[in-house]
Each structure stands twice: as structure tokens, then as C-alpha cells.
Amino acid sequence: MVIKILGPGCSNCKKLEANAKEAVAKSGAKAKIVKVENIKDIMSYGVMRTPAIVINEKVKAFGKVCTVDEIIKFINEEK
């Protein structure tokens, strides 16, 4: 599983990345977390507001910092 954090590197993007790492640890999922900071790459997902989280190339949420529990739910949807 690949989890992508889309954002230019703002504090909300960093918080979302930290929450994603915690969610992966709590869920026991095998996942690689990748930060995507290039605006063209971010826009290729149709995301106009950041931060955003993409799991297995599916946009799960954007424009907010998802909680650890929300991310665990997204991970379980993709298992």
C-alpha cells in the first residue's frame, strides 16, 4: 500500500504526515508513505486544496488534516 501526502510542506501537511505514520503503526498495515510537494503532481490528482491524502492512487480527503482514526478507516477500506 502506498500512502501519499499531498502538500507544499506547510504545518498542516506535516501534521497529516505524522498522523498517517501513526495510523500505519496502529493499524499494522504495510505501507509506504510518500510526500508529494510538486504543485503539478498535486494538481494531477484534481486536488485544489491541501493537505490531501491519497491511498493506492485514490484521493481519500483534501483540504483538512485527517485524524489518526480517519486514516485508519481509509487504510482498512483499501485492505
Side-chain angles (χ1 to χ4, degrees):
M1 174 181 302
V2 176
I3 299 173
K4 293 181 179 176
I5 306 299
L6 311 182
C10 64
S11 62
N12 283 340
C13 301
K14 292 175 183 172
K15 178 66 176 165
L16 181 58
E17 181 183 19
N19 287 354
K21 288 179 179 176
E22 186 175 340
V24 168
K26 282 187 173 180
S27 69
K30 290 188 176 186
K32 178 180 177 182
I33 297 175
V34 178
K35 286 189 70 178
V36 178
E37 296 182 343
N38 182 293
I39 296 298
K40 284 185 178 179
D41 293 339
I42 292 170
M43 291 182 73
S44 73
Y45 288 95
V47 170
M48 301 306 282
R49 291 184 12 212
T50 60
I53 186 165
V54 174
I55 300 178
N56 290 342
E57 297 302 314
K58 296 176 191 163
V59 176
K60 295 296 187 176
F62 61 91
K64 69 174 197 167
V65 177
C66 297
T67 65
V68 172
D69 288 339
E70 287 174 319
I71 298 169
I72 289 173
K73 180 181 171 192
F74 297 152
I75 289 170
N76 288 334
E77 289 173 356
E78 293 300 318
K79 283 185 175 176

